[in-house]
Amino acid sequence: MSRQDTFYHWQGQVVKTFVASGVLSPPQAYVLAIFSFGIVRAACCALTAIAGKLGFLGADNTVLQRLKYWLRDGVDKPTPGEPQIEVQDTFLPLIQWILSLWQGQQLALAIDATTLRDNLVVLVVALLYRGTAIPLAWVCLPANCPGAWMPHLLRLLRVVHAAIPDRYDVLVMADRGLYSPKLYKRIRRYHWHPLLRIRAQGSFKPRYRERRPLREFLPGPGYQWRGRGWAFKRHPLRCTLLAIWLEGQAEPWFLLTDLSPHQGEASWYGLRVWIELGFRVFKSIGWQWHRSR
């Protein structure tokens, strides 16, 4: 298939996904197809580099101006009343598109944050897939500014939940810095399964036994423990603790889930690193964020 045929096939997929849902107009979807196709070909998101890879669509400067115009906020466009593209409105059709290609009934999601220098913090809910991660919903926040992340994360989860049918078995992972009782309870409310890592300074009370510091459950590398009980002392949470300390690992994992001790595996948490590999693909290998404004 020629480069031009490949683009027209991609354009058809983008238009079908976002125009049929009413999120984008045909011209908006067309430029989105140009933009995303150009990013893949240029391996970065710098506008001049993208335009230089789309010569088969016309002169570089013409394509460049079209991309710049598409990025403007609605109030900055010369045509009065031209609609603003709201990124969050595209999450639902994006997720539906991904699931239409998905095989199986199990989904592993990860929640994490990444940064663009000292400019932005991006909170992401991503689908883990074959050693990387596909962003499903995200929000960009100014870096080094006060404010809680959890309301944003809960809103993103609500959007993702609305797009995933009940037939899927969903596991949601997050690292220590993002653990919150609200997050755990929200995941359970959606009938999904949390697998959230907590800090090792806490404690756990197994059923019919005394409360103990978390570190006492694992004497050293090569050990693991699992059981039902209550995490935390001040605000007890009834859950399952999965604890594991692998050989060669600098520190153990202490994970909370609603799965029974015989259903859950602490080793599943190793999939969470795929979202970090996904960030690497988008930032340095793929989009080259540092070359974009």
Side-chain angles (χ1 to χ4, degrees), residues 47-63:
L47 297 185
T48 51
I50 294 172
K53 292 293 184 178
L54 297 172
F56 62 93
L57 295 176
D60 290 0
N61 188 61
T62 301
V63 175

Side-chain angles (χ1 to χ4, degrees), residues 224-238:
Q224 59 179 313
W225 188 93
R226 63 179 69 192
R228 293 287 291 176
W230 288 264
F232 310 116
K233 192 171 183 179
R234 293 183 58 187
H235 303 286
L237 176 70
R238 190 169 186 272

Side-chain angles (χ1 to χ4, degrees), residues 186-201:
R186 179 64 59 88
I187 294 170
R188 289 204 62 200
R189 184 193 303 175
Y190 293 151
H191 303 289
W192 294 348
H193 303 296
L195 188 63
L196 307 180
R197 188 178 177 188
I198 59 173
R199 301 183 188 279
Q201 291 74 23

